[in-house]
Structures are given as C-alpha cells and as structure tokens.
C-alpha cells in the first residue's frame, strides 16, 4: 500500500530515492522485454470493461526516452471504436496542461524537448479544439503516466506536478456538474510497481486502477464497480 506521508523534507527525500531506484530499473529493461510488456499491458486495457464502456477517454502520449508504457495502440484503438479521445498539451513550466480533443493520431506533432506528440490548439478549419474542462459531458476514463506505483493506487510522478494539478481540476469540475469523476488508470511496467508502496503526500492523487503486464489492479470501489459491469 502507499506509504504514509512524511513531514517536510522526509517525503521529498523518500520520493527522490524511489525515483532513482525505479529509473535505474527501467534503464536496465531491454527493448524486447519492454515490447513484450507493452503488448501485455495494452491487451489488458483493451480487455477491461472500464475501457470498453468509456465513451470519452483521456490518453497520455508516452515518451520513449523516459521509458513510459506505449499508449499509441490504445489511442488508435479508442479512435477506431468511435470513442471521443483527448490528449495532453503542456502549456508552461508551472504544471499547467490541457487535454484537447483529436480526431486522428495525425492531429499531433512532436514537441520539444522530448519530442512527445502534442495536438495543435485548433482543428484544420481553424476552430479551437474542444477542451476537456469545457465540454458538456463527463470524461469517463483517464490513462495516466507516472514513475512508480503500488497496488493500492499510490502514484509517484516525476516531480512536475502536472497530473496532480490537472486531476484536481477534473474532479472539481465533475463535482460542480454532478458527474462521477473520471476513472484514473495508470499503465506500468513490472519494474514500476513497488510492493512496499510509494511515498505519497496530501496533494498526490490516488489511482482507481493500475495495469501491469501481469494484472489489472483495482484500487477503488469505482474501479471494482466498473469491472463488474456496474458503471
């Protein structure tokens, strides 16, 4: 389970140490092993009831240089199924980002400094892309990246705070509209799942589920209901 929050620099030090360990393990993961894990994770997501029933889906775009789980097969499958898909656009270095609607994978272009694919701010006709925070329907599912995870829904990010800040905004908007909040689902290589838990602080968002090559870890009642077919 997630480790209890520690005061002051204790939590920061624990996170820093955990990040070093996980990054080292990911760098040691060979290309063939990574490809096999990517395929197994994608298969588990596609087989899940939560993904099948979601009409609106947020999908992070993976960064190969950071050894993140590849999301492109899931994005393409979601588009092929007719789901409404939203992907991140980083606005600045102050942990601000948006999720914008795309119609196709070709709507994205590499962005510096890591070459991660991002959408343009407008459609081909010049109109503004739909922003998740402005749409008149709930976001059903958000596939999230991260560096470390545990089976209780703990998530250790890379320190930028983008997703924690964004998720708080999503949850607040859902509450204001009377919607159920989106299911927060992380994708993780085996090397990213820590049996002893990950360090967590009060501002860190807990996940509803974590998908690894070997299992779909259901971490909340909402995720368990979704997989049972209860919505």
């Amino acid at each position: 389970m997630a480790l209890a929050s520690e005061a002051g620099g204790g939590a920061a030090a624990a996170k820093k140490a955990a990040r070093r360990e996980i990054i080292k393990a990911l760098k040691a993961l060979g290309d063939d092993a990574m490809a096999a894990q990517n395929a197994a994770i994608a298969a588990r997501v596609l087989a899940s009831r939560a993904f099948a029933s979601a009409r609106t889906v947020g999908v992070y775009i993976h960064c190969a240089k950071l050894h993140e789980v590849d999301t492109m097969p899931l994005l393409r499958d979601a588009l092929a199924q007719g789901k409404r898909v939203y992907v991140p656009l980083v606005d600045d270095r102050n942990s601000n980002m948006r999720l914008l609607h795309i119609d196709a994978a070709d709507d994205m272009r590499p962005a510096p400094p890591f070459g991660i694919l991002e959408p343009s701010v407008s459609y081909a006709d010049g109109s503004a892309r739909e922003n998740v925070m402005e749409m008149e329907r709930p976001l059903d599912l958000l596939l999230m990246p991260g560096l470390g995870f545990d089976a209780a829904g703990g998530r250790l990010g890379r320190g930028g705070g983008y997703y924690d800040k964004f998720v708080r905004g999503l949850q607040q908007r859902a509450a204001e509209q009377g919607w159920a909040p989106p299911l927060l689902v992380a994708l993780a290589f085996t090397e990213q799942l820590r049996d002893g838990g990950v360090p967590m602080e009060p501002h860190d968002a807990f996940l509803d589920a974590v998908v690894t090559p070997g299992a779909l870890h259901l971490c909340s009642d909402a995720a368990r209901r979704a997989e049972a077919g209860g919505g």
Side-chain angles (χ1 to χ4, degrees):
M1 60 184 296
L3 298 178
S5 172
E6 302 173 53
K15 285 185 172 183
K16 186 175 181 179
R19 289 185 179 114
R20 283 198 303 266
E21 293 174 8
I22 297 167
I23 289 172
K24 182 178 180 180
L26 287 174
K27 287 182 176 179
L29 186 60
D31 291 344
D32 289 346
M34 187 175 291
Q37 290 201 43
N38 274 322
I41 292 166
R44 285 198 179 278
V45 174
L46 293 174
S48 70
R49 287 186 174 182
F51 185 83
S53 63
R55 306 294 294 273
T56 52
V57 181
V59 182
Y60 79 88
I61 305 301
H62 78 289
C63 177
K65 293 180 180 178
L66 296 179
H67 300 89
E68 291 179 333
V69 174
D70 187 350
T71 53
M72 290 306 292
L74 296 171
L75 182 143
R76 292 192 177 97
D77 201 280
L79 289 168
Q81 290 185 32
K83 300 181 188 298
R84 199 158 181 86
V85 177
Y86 300 81
V87 296
L89 175 66
V90 173
D91 286 324
D92 54 39
R93 295 185 178 181
N94 296 317
S95 302
N96 293 308
M97 72 177 197
R98 288 174 280 172
L99 244 62
L100 302 183
H101 170 252
I102 62 169
D103 293 303
D106 290 344
D107 290 348
M108 300 182 291
R109 295 291 182 271
F114 295 111
I116 301 173
L117 295 175
E118 290 188 342
S120 59
V121 297
S122 59
Y123 296 108
D125 64 3
S127 61
R129 290 189 183 277
E130 185 180 39
N131 185 329
V132 154
M133 292 296 189
E134 298 171 356
M135 65 181 187
E136 296 302 318
R137 71 188 85 183
L139 183 69
D140 297 323
L141 176 69
L142 176 61
L143 297 181
M144 296 177 60
L147 188 54
F149 309 94
D150 62 45
R155 174 183 176 272
L156 174 66
R158 295 180 182 272
Y162 286 89
Y163 276 88
D164 286 318
K165 186 174 184 177
F166 185 76
V167 165
R168 286 196 297 273
L170 271 181
Q171 293 171 335
Q172 180 178 346
R173 176 164 171 75
E176 291 170 350
Q177 298 293 326
W179 299 332
L183 284 179
L184 306 179
V185 179
L187 311 183
F189 294 118
T190 300
E191 289 75 7
Q192 293 177 277
L193 193 70
R194 292 169 63 91
D195 292 336
V198 295
M200 297 284 287
E201 296 180 90
H203 64 270
D204 294 326
F206 274 85
L207 302 161
D208 293 293
V210 179
V211 186
T212 64
L216 169 58
H217 301 275
L218 303 177
C219 311
S220 71
D221 289 340
R224 287 184 279 271
R225 285 194 300 271
E227 283 309 295

